[in-house]
Amino acid sequence: MISIKGLKKSFDQLEVLKGLDLEIDKGKVVVIIGPSGSGKTTFLRCLNVLETPTEGKISIGGQQIDFSAKVSPKLISSFRRLTGMVFQGYNLFPHMTALENVMEGPVTVKKETKVKARQKAAFFLEKVGLSDKVDFYPFQLSGGQQQRVGIARALAMEPEVMLFDEPTSALDPELVGEVLKVMKDLANEGMTMVVVTHEMRFAQEAADEVIFMDGGFIVERGAPDNIFSNPTADRTKQFLRMIQ
Amino acid sequence: MYLNNILADPERLARLIEIAQNSVVPLLQGAIFYTIPLTLISFVCGLGLAVLTALARISDVKILQIIARIYVSAIRGTPLLVQLFILFYGLPTIGITLDPWPSAIIGFSLNVGAYASEIIRAAILSIPKGQWEAGFSIGMSRRQALRRIIIPQAARVSIPPLSNTFISLVKDTSLASMILLTEMFRRAQEIATTNYEFLLLYTEAALIYWVICFILSIAQGRIENRLDRYVSR
């Protein structure tokens, strides 16, 4: 489903990603953990081409971009539609209701009719448990509700892969559960997901594979049980000790 | 002193009241047929120009950026009255003769365009980067994100400063009197030169400007309330 080869990203002189290779199968849930500054968020943003990699190839569901050549904005736009992004800070459109937020992609990008888009938006809002909040503006919603609208907005574009960039980091502790539940449901339905998170419980319960990143490299990867109970690399051990 | 003199002299008072009554209609006509349309037309044209200029400033195309910068710098760096004089009295020298109306509309539109472009540019830049990214992440192009996500939010931010520009424009249109447009202030001047009641006529004109601007600031408040409906207060 996803294949990444030799992915590098530099900001000016600073090399943040130093050559990543990764294959992710359809329907798998991959959780990326690692200390801050390890490049995990940059990596996720590269998959959505919010950051343009300096080098390397990414292919998702048969479409490929080679970043060693110049890439056209059109190709980037169509490539982005393969992935849905959920942001740490939700980034909902504040001037639109929950329903309008979710409709926006289908109407503006996919050129669907408003009637169809509205049905679709209502469907996805129901899926994230917000049927009673469709006409609320973001400022009227709690953080957890806003993030669930964010998930519905991404789902409405019917992406092949869902990307989550620390989706619960900005939330009050009591609101984390409702977002994680929605994510677990998605995982159980067979959605391919790449999740950057500090929620180790989520990683243990929902991930098929855990990737530990540090210093712009993938240090270690494996099944959650292996990574959490029998890490092989010293850096992984050190990191896990620090967060526990 | 002045007031005492008037109150002590019933004949003078009666004359002033009569002049005031007789001049209200011509002044209001000046406002309704000149000041207000000139303001509205110039503001709409200027706003269009301002959006284009702001977009040119934030575009990736160097040459557009430079043209926009020069335009804004030239307009902001020269007096409006001088700009109007160049348009109306200067251009005929090189064979371009404009009537007072087009001169005034062009002059005021260019002026509003330059000042408002900075407001709009600042408003666009004030919208968090995450809003652009959220638009991109659902597959929007730059243009779509701008139109659907950024501009509607920037509009809200720019209403108070744009209202300032608009209210300034109402008053600035009095400068059109200098290029022979018989707008409200010129009418006040014309009437005053026949009866020498300068204080009365100019005060009357000032009051009418004030009323117009007062109504505009009420309208501003309403628009702000409307656009604030999606922001917590």
Side-chain angles (χ1 to χ4, degrees):
Chain A
M1 173 56 82
I2 305 179
S3 159
I4 295 143
K5 288 201 184 75
L7 189 71
K8 289 186 182 178
K9 172 66 184 176
S10 303
F11 294 101
D12 297 320
Q13 297 301 316
L14 185 71
E15 192 169 51
V16 179
L17 299 179
K18 298 175 181 167
L20 301 186
D21 298 287
L22 188 64
E23 304 277 330
I24 297 172
D25 291 335
K26 193 172 168 62
K28 293 282 188 261
V29 176
V30 173
V31 169
I32 304 176
I33 59 172
S36 63
S38 59
K40 52 194 195 304
T41 287
T42 305
F43 171 59
L44 199 73
R45 288 166 61 86
C46 282
L47 291 181
N48 198 238
V49 211
L50 285 174
E51 305 292 352
T52 312
T54 338
E55 244 180 81
K57 288 180 194 164
I58 302 178
S59 94
I60 296 174
Q63 266 207 60
Q64 179 171 295
I65 298 191
D66 184 347
F67 290 99
S68 25
K70 190 147 172 48
V71 190
S72 76
K74 219 175 180 139
L75 181 60
I76 291 179
S77 278
S78 75
F79 198 76
R80 277 199 186 114
R81 283 168 58 177
L82 300 169
T83 53
M85 184 83 171
V86 177
F87 298 90
Q88 182 178 356
Y90 333 131
N91 295 1
L92 293 187
F93 307 132
H95 55 304
M96 299 181 187
T97 62
L99 190 78
E100 288 165 344
N101 262 277
V102 183
M103 282 171 67
E104 186 57 30
V107 171
T108 301
V109 179
K110 284 189 164 175
K111 311 288 181 204
E112 288 178 8
T113 62
K114 288 219 163 149
V115 176
K116 195 176 160 208
R118 189 169 287 128
Q119 285 172 351
K120 191 186 265 182
F123 171 80
F124 283 110
L125 282 172
E126 191 186 346
K127 199 174 166 76
V128 298
L130 290 174
S131 292
D132 52 339
K133 304 285 184 199
V134 286
D135 292 326
F136 283 52
Y137 283 95
F139 80 90
Q140 297 168 309
L141 300 173
S142 72
Q145 290 165 340
Q146 288 192 51
Q147 191 58 294
R148 286 187 280 153
V149 175
I151 294 172
R153 179 176 69 181
L155 287 174
M157 293 305 288
E158 290 158 335
E160 307 271 334
V161 180
M162 284 287 283
L163 309 173
F164 296 82
D165 181 15
E166 303 194 20
T168 57
S169 298
L171 293 175
D172 291 337
E174 75 272 22
L175 303 177
V176 170
E178 61 189 74
V179 173
L180 292 183
K181 182 181 174 301
V182 168
M183 290 169 63
K184 276 182 202 160
D185 291 347
L186 270 182
N188 290 335
E189 285 171 27
M191 176 62 83
T192 312
M193 293 163 57
V194 183
V195 185
V196 170
T197 187
H198 296 295
E199 293 293 329
M200 297 304 150
R201 269 241 326 271
F202 175 80
Q204 265 161 336
E205 289 168 15
D208 296 300
E209 185 172 40
V210 173
I211 290 175
F212 174 68
M213 275 183 74
D214 192 20
F217 291 106
I218 292 176
V219 175
E220 190 168 357
R221 55 186 295 193
D225 288 345
N226 285 338
I227 294 280
F228 288 117
S229 42
N230 292 311
T232 53
D234 287 342
R235 274 187 290 175
T236 320
K237 289 179 193 164
Q238 204 184 2
F239 175 74
L240 290 173
R241 258 203 313 279
M242 279 170 66
I243 58 165
Q244 269 150 14
Chain B
M1 271 288 278
Y2 180 77
L3 271 183
N4 276 339
N5 286 346
I6 294 172
L7 294 174
D9 182 350
E11 236 171 86
R12 178 87 202 285
L13 187 61
R15 184 176 119 88
L16 284 179
I17 291 172
E18 195 194 333
I19 291 176
Q21 280 172 344
N22 290 340
S23 58
V24 160
V25 171
L27 288 193
L28 283 179
Q29 278 175 343
I32 291 166
F33 296 116
Y34 290 85
T35 303
I36 292 172
L38 179 59
T39 304
L40 288 178
I41 296 170
S42 304
F43 191 72
V44 170
C45 296
L47 209 55
L49 199 55
V51 171
L52 292 179
T53 309
L55 293 180
R57 280 293 302 272
I58 60 168
S59 82
D60 301 328
V61 187
K62 259 265 140 50
I63 185 74
L64 288 179
Q65 287 179 19
I66 293 171
I67 293 172
R69 266 172 185 276
I70 293 174
Y71 160 58
V72 172
S73 171
I75 296 292
R76 294 208 304 181
T78 53
L80 176 52
L81 186 58
V82 176
Q83 294 162 13
L84 292 173
F85 270 45
I86 290 176
L87 284 168
F88 186 68
Y89 297 111
L91 288 185
T93 312
I94 53 166
I96 304 172
T97 306
L98 296 171
D99 286 337
W101 259 112
S103 303
I105 288 175
I106 293 171
F108 290 119
S109 300
L110 286 174
N111 206 264
V112 169
Y115 282 95
S117 76
E118 289 293 284
I119 293 170
I120 291 169
R121 187 176 71 97
I124 289 174
L125 294 180
S126 77
I127 306 304
K129 200 166 143 253
Q131 289 292 310
W132 285 99
E133 291 184 345
F136 293 155
S137 78
I138 52 171
M140 285 186 177
S141 64
R142 226 180 118 77
R143 180 184 295 248
Q144 286 171 328
L146 191 70
R147 190 169 55 83
R148 298 286 309 167
I149 311 300
I150 305 301
I151 297 282
Q153 294 182 62
R156 199 193 120 251
V157 182
S158 54
I159 291 297
L162 281 180
S163 304
N164 262 340
T165 308
F166 192 65
I167 286 172
S168 294
L169 178 63
V170 173
K171 296 173 296 174
D172 286 346
T173 56
S174 60
L175 290 173
S177 63
M178 306 293 284
I179 56 169
L180 310 184
L181 201 72
T182 48
E183 46 69 68
M184 177 165 59
F185 183 56
R186 189 169 182 90
R187 287 180 185 218
Q189 284 176 310
E190 284 170 359
I191 298 169
T193 47
T194 62
N195 57 28
Y196 302 106
E197 293 295 348
F198 294 103
L199 180 62
L200 176 70
L201 265 302
Y202 294 163
T203 308
E204 205 177 319
L207 281 175
I208 298 177
Y209 280 115
W210 191 6
V211 168
I212 296 175
C213 291
F214 183 74
I215 294 171
L216 285 176
S217 40
I218 292 174
Q220 173 192 352
R222 293 218 170 157
I223 296 175
E224 277 177 33
N225 277 342
R226 213 184 117 66
L227 290 175
D228 273 356
R229 70 191 185 282
Y230 57 82
V231 192
S232 66
R233 263 161 291 160

